[in-house]
Amino acid sequence: MILGLIGTFAIAFALGSIPWGVVIGKVFFHTDIRESGSGNIGTTNAMRVIGKKGGVAVFLLDFGKGLLSGYLATVIGGICLSGGNAGFEWVSLNEFLALSFIGCISGHIYSPWLGFHGGKGIAVAVGCLFFVFGPVGALLELAIFIVLVLVTRTVSIGSIAAAVACPFFTLYYYWGDPIAWVLITAAAFMVFYAHRANMERLRDGIEPKIGDKKK
């Protein structure tokens, strides 16, 4: 059981750590997106630096590694729990899913391939949430993001709001399971913390908006 839990986190971390933004930029556009725009490796900066096609590819791949992390957690958890959880009564599939969530997000934000730097975790988080919260919960989180981005024309506001909402969704989906709640909330806080520079720019009124002309 312990090996299964550790393995779930390790696999999710490894998947999350793949810096698709850097890979797509260098391989197909001969550009290191870390050297332009905000310097971030995620979808928003990828669209600014290498265009819509490159940005969409980065989003889908980051989303995909989150989705795969959640799927593998259900498979590993199912195998481990099929023999019962004697001696590990506190373990359920919830813990495997929560570990996949925090694993893939921490791998993405603190990628060892980039000197423990990385992206901000939104696309990978949403992908994993399709297993952690299920499709309805994941789509509600995505709706919060999309609505606020459309209203404010500011991607970071949607991202921060989705991160803030995550612990409250977790209370609903994981009520009575404090271990899973703590792990998922910790992952949401990591996403929130990764946006600290954006929050400073929002405070100063200089955060870029969608459609702003490049200076």
Side-chain angles (χ1 to χ4, degrees), residues 8-209:
T8 296
F9 177 86
I11 291 171
F13 183 91
L15 285 170
S17 72
I18 303 171
W20 285 120
V22 175
V23 174
I24 295 297
K26 286 188 174 182
V27 173
F28 296 99
F29 298 90
H30 309 293
T31 300
D32 188 339
I33 67 173
R34 295 172 296 175
E35 297 175 355
S36 302
S38 67
N40 190 262
I41 67 168
T43 301
T44 303
N45 195 49
M47 286 191 172
R48 291 193 191 109
V49 178
I50 58 178
K52 290 183 179 179
K53 289 183 179 179
V56 169
V58 172
F59 171 79
L60 291 175
L61 288 166
D62 282 346
F63 176 88
K65 64 188 185 184
L67 197 67
L68 183 57
S69 294
Y71 170 73
L72 291 176
T74 63
V75 173
I76 296 171
I79 292 171
C80 291
L81 294 167
S82 63
N85 60 349
F88 295 91
E89 286 77 11
W90 53 274
V91 177
S92 68
L93 186 59
N94 291 349
E95 278 63 47
F96 288 91
L97 290 169
L99 282 169
S100 73
F101 188 63
I102 194 171
C104 67
I105 288 175
S106 58
H108 181 77
I109 296 176
Y110 303 106
S111 173
W113 309 112
L114 303 177
F116 293 96
H117 295 285
K120 297 182 180 179
I122 291 298
V124 70
V126 173
C128 198
L129 282 177
F130 273 87
F131 285 92
V132 175
F133 287 170
V136 173
L139 289 172
L140 286 173
E141 279 274 16
L142 191 58
I144 291 171
F145 170 80
I146 292 172
V147 168
L148 285 173
V149 171
L150 291 175
V151 170
T152 66
R153 293 193 300 116
T154 308
V155 173
S156 60
I157 290 178
S159 301
I160 293 165
V164 170
C166 189
F168 297 98
F169 279 103
T170 308
L171 280 175
Y172 174 77
Y173 285 105
Y174 291 85
W175 184 261
D177 193 333
I179 295 174
W181 184 85
V182 167
L183 290 171
I184 296 170
T185 298
F189 176 78
M190 289 169 58
V191 174
F192 180 83
Y193 183 71
H195 286 81
R196 59 194 182 279
N198 302 88
M199 289 184 277
E200 290 178 5
R201 290 194 293 270
L202 285 167
R203 180 195 62 197
D204 297 335
I206 58 173
E207 178 75 342
K209 292 180 181 291

